[in-house]
């Protein structure tokens, strides 16, 4: 058993929770216990926040080159432990080892980005003499500094990636963190935290509380010692956090129903290849998953025919078996919910082209065609392995359909026509627009975040650092000369 199992990380040490309560973490595939996690209570939140306050004092006064050295060591450890982290991800989350290895393999790079960007906290000089009545006796500039204590709350679907998109920028730029990973997938977060501990991160700079978000959320989010909440999860939880947070910085990476528009001049081979990946990776449990395809009526039949062949070729099953590309959903209840949504869509008049069968926590990759764009399978976030295909008769109608949900995270447009591409880039209300690929693509350095009900603020290490730091304006008043 690892030293972190069943423990909380507080003030640089793995400790029991106040209640000493522990729970089993089980594989979504076969229900076998894969590890144990402590169940923190509000009493542990208080201890962790106190530790984070002293951690923030130490870390903000640590020169950036020293912070960077610790981060680079943590990155090296994450690289060395990538296979171990991948096995943990796959065990507790149910995603295939192929996908888990891809996710774990990005850890070191994200931490290195945090080290690099955290050493580039630039300000700017202010041309004060351009202010009428002000002379050359003053010098003004901005100074970027860490906010202090960051509360990071992450979801289950990318247990390493989404934790690191908070830890790397927060720690790189000199903040302390209290991390609350998803209850279903805490073990990955603990293994990542161990890399930072072993790299020599000072006590209190990173604290990890496992347990229930709904029990710990109020204490974590409403505390005035916390200067920033970095939350990734559902729109409903994010909305709740906006109500209780009080005056502090907020980044909310929330839900989505991401569209892909396929125009008549699209490269259909490319479009179907991309949708067959983008709709089904991680069993569709990706905020930037392709949930909707809006295809021009002229190419609908060809598109569906080609997509069906590709989707039926996806290898689904035991996440740890050789060659399996897509594993389970996070649990059998979620799988049942997704299968039911597909059945409801069919009963409302849509056509099932393939998939949608339920087997424990697995739903076979589905294509649902003839979907009314206002049906719930298009409007509400599905978070499962099904793509809802609707038809449009013009570019304008396709873009209208793309914008017809409350969400606006990612989108994709397939076209060979530059005019249509530019129009789509300007008109689609989403935080990220891909031309000739689906929304399911991310470089860890790019600005990443949603519009409308998909959230506020941007992640991507450089952008996240902007949101995890404060800008002070400094004015030096000289004597007139
Ligand atoms: P969730 O239920 O909202 O949970 C997310 C995190 O919030 C978990 O750690 C959860 O803890 C915690 N939480 C629950 N109630 C809370 C409360 N009252 N106060 C504070 N924290 C609370 O979301 P999920 O089901 O894990 O994740 C799926 C959702 O995340 C989808 O909607 C997906 O689109 C979204 N997502 C968005 C992005 C993005 O970048 N926009 C990326 C990935 C996922 P427990 O696990 O203990 O409940």
């Amino acid at each position: 058993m690892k030293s972190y199992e069943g423990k909380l990380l507080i003030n640089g040490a793995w400790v029991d929770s106040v209640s000493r309560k522990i729970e089993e973490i089980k594989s979504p595939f076969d229900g076998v216990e894969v590890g144990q996690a402590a169940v923190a209570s509000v009493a542990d939140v208080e201890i962790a926040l106190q530790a984070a306050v002293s951690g923030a004092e130490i870390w903000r006064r640590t020169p950036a080159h020293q912070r960077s050295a610790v981060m680079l060591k943590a990155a090296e450890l994450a690289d060395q432990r990538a296979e171990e982290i991948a096995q943990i991800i796959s065990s507790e989350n149910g995603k295939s080892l192929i996908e888990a290895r891809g996710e774990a393999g990005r850890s070191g790079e994200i931490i290195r980005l945090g080290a690099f960007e955290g050493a580039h906290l630039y300000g700017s000089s202010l041309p004060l003499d351009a202010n009428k009545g002000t002379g050359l006796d003053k010098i003004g500039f901005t100074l970027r500094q860490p906010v202090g204590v960051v509360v990071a709350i992450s979801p289950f679907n990318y247990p390493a990636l989404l934790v690191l998109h908070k830890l790397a920028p927060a720690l790189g730029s000199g903040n302390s963190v209290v991390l609350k990973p998803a209850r279903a997938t805490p073990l990955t977060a603990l293994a990542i935290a161990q890399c930072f501990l072993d790299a020599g991160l000072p006590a209190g700079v990173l604290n990890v509380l496992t347990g229930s978000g709904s029990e710990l959320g109020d204490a974590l989010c409403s505390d005035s010692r916390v200067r920033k909440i970095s939350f990734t999860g559902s729109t409903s939880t994010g909305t709740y956090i906006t109500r209780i947070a009080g005056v502090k910085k907020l980044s909310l990476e929330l839900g989505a129903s991401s569209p892909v528009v396929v125009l008549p001049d699209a490269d259909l081979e490319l479009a179907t290849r991309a949708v067959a990946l983008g709709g089904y990776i991680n069993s569709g449990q990706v905020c930037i998953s392709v949930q909707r395809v809006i295809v021009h009526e002229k190419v609908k039949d060809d598109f569906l025919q080609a997509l069906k062949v590709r989707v039926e070729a996806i290898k689904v099953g035991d996440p740890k078996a050789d060659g399996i590309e897509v594993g389970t959903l996070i649990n059998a209840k979620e799988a049942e919910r997704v299968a039911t949504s597909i059945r409801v869509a069919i009963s409302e008049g849509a056509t099932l082209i393939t998939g949608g069968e339920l087997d424990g926590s697995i739903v076979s990759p589905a294509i649902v065609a003839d979907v009314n764009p206002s049906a719930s399978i298009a409007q509400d976030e599905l978070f499962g392995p099904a793509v809802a295909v609707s038809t449009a008769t013009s570019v304008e109608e396709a873009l209208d359909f793309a914008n017809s949900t409350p969400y606006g995270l990612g989108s994709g447009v397939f076209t060979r026509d530059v005019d249509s591409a530019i129009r789509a880039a300007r008109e689609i209300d989403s935080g990220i627009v891909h031309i000739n690929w689906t929304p399911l693509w991310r470089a860890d350095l790019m600005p990443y975040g949603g519009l409308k009900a998909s959230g506020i603020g941007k992640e991507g290490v450089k952008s996240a650092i902007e949101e995890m730091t404060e800008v002070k304006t400094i004015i030096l008043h000289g004597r007139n000369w």
Side-chain angles (χ1 to χ4, degrees):
M1 191 154 122
K2 299 278 180 193
S3 55
Y4 53 71
E5 272 201 50
K7 305 280 183 188
L8 306 173
L9 176 59
I10 299 182
N11 215 11
W14 294 110
V15 297
D16 291 327
S17 68
V18 170
S19 70
R20 294 183 172 261
K21 237 170 109 180
I22 282 180
E23 64 187 358
E24 290 178 355
I25 306 301
K26 292 183 176 169
S27 154
F29 178 65
D30 53 17
V32 167
E33 182 184 327
V34 295
Q36 295 187 341
V39 182
S41 64
V42 170
D44 299 296
V45 172
E46 178 53 33
I47 302 170
L49 284 176
Q50 282 176 18
V53 168
S54 20
E57 289 300 315
I58 295 167
W59 204 226
R60 77 193 286 256
R61 294 191 173 84
T62 303
H65 69 271
Q66 287 178 18
R67 293 201 307 260
S68 176
V70 173
M71 299 284 289
L72 292 177
K73 179 72 189 158
E76 198 186 314
L77 293 172
D79 284 345
Q80 284 166 13
R81 297 173 192 174
E83 178 59 23
E84 177 193 332
I85 294 173
Q87 294 286 344
I88 299 172
I89 296 173
S90 179
S91 300
E92 67 178 353
N93 170 281
K95 72 176 68 180
S96 70
L97 262 180
I98 294 175
E99 292 186 340
R101 286 187 176 124
E103 181 179 352
R106 285 160 73 176
S107 307
E109 277 307 287
I110 300 174
I111 302 170
R112 272 185 282 276
L113 270 175
F116 176 81
E117 297 293 349
H120 288 76
L121 301 187
Y122 285 103
S124 52
S125 70
L126 306 173
L128 294 176
D129 57 309
N131 182 73
K132 210 171 173 186
T134 308
L136 293 170
D137 57 317
K138 300 183 197 315
I139 290 181
F141 59 93
T142 60
L143 184 65
R144 197 171 270 283
Q145 292 188 312
V147 291
V149 177
V150 173
V151 158
I153 302 178
S154 55
F156 68 81
N157 60 333
Y158 282 89
L161 194 72
L162 298 177
V163 160
L164 283 165
H165 265 290
K166 302 185 183 315
L167 298 191
L171 300 176
S173 58
N175 298 288
S176 68
V177 176
V178 178
L179 169 69
K180 209 309 277 175
R183 194 163 191 176
T185 57
L187 303 173
T188 308
L190 299 177
I192 287 170
Q194 185 72 55
C195 295
F196 284 98
L197 264 194
D198 293 346
L201 195 72
V205 178
L206 173 60
N207 306 276
V208 186
L209 296 177
T210 52
S212 154
S214 54
E215 275 179 38
L216 307 178
D218 283 25
L220 280 171
C221 298
S222 60
D223 195 288
S224 61
R225 289 167 291 182
V226 174
R227 298 313 307 141
K228 158 92 191 174
I229 298 170
S230 175
F231 172 81
T232 302
S234 62
T235 297
S236 60
T237 309
T239 307
Y240 176 74
I241 289 173
T242 62
R243 295 206 193 99
I244 60 166
V247 182
K248 53 175 67 84
K249 285 177 164 244
L250 277 185
S251 293
L252 304 172
E253 300 285 341
L254 308 178
S257 169
S258 298
V260 161
V261 170
V262 180
L263 294 177
D265 59 1
D267 176 341
L268 290 188
E269 191 279 329
L270 178 71
T272 51
R273 182 155 52 89
V275 171
L277 288 170
Y280 305 96
I281 281 178
N282 210 22
S283 267
Q285 300 166 115
V286 195
C287 48
I288 44 176
S289 195
V290 181
Q291 182 169 332
R292 299 176 288 145
V293 171
I294 299 142
V295 59
H296 195 280
E297 59 180 3
K298 283 190 189 151
V299 290
K300 176 196 156 194
D301 292 344
D302 290 348
F303 174 83
L304 280 175
Q305 209 175 5
L307 183 64
K308 180 170 187 279
V309 174
R310 289 186 183 278
V311 170
E312 287 178 346
I314 298 171
K315 295 189 183 64
V316 185
D318 178 350
K320 297 226 174 162
D322 270 356
I324 288 297
E325 294 162 315
V326 173
T328 69
L329 282 94
I330 192 63
N331 55 45
K333 201 169 151 216
E334 274 295 285
E336 172 68 45
R337 180 189 61 75
V338 170
T340 304
S341 298
I342 296 170
R343 279 199 298 275
V344 168
I346 309 304
S347 72
E348 288 171 352
T351 310
L352 184 65
I353 303 291
T354 190
E357 292 116 34
L358 180 66
D359 178 9
S361 48
I362 292 177
V363 176
S364 60
I367 307 172
V368 183
D370 304 315
V371 169
N372 182 330
S374 61
S376 85
I377 197 160
Q379 291 291 317
D380 304 330
E381 179 172 48
L382 182 70
F383 227 53
V387 169
V389 182
S390 308
T391 311
T393 54
S394 65
V395 178
E396 191 175 26
E397 189 178 43
L399 299 184
D400 278 352
F401 287 163
N403 283 338
S404 68
T405 75
Y407 299 109
L409 182 56
S411 60
V413 179
F414 286 86
T415 179
R416 289 188 172 96
D417 177 50
V418 173
D419 292 337
S420 301
I422 292 172
R423 184 171 173 189
R426 289 198 186 277
E427 295 298 323
I428 295 184
D429 294 329
S430 63
I432 311 148
V433 181
H434 293 268
I435 306 298
N436 288 328
W437 201 252
T438 76
L440 205 145
W441 191 94
R442 178 176 190 179
D444 294 310
L445 53 72
M446 76 189 204
Y448 179 99
L451 312 182
K452 305 197 293 185
S454 290
I456 48 177
K458 292 274 184 271
E459 283 201 342
V461 179
K462 185 168 188 282
S463 307
I465 283 183
E466 280 165 18
E467 307 216 5
M468 291 174 171
T469 47
E470 306 274 13
V471 173
K472 280 184 185 167
T473 302
I474 312 293
I475 311 290
L476 301 182
H477 296 260
R479 290 172 194 274
N480 274 333
W481 42 265

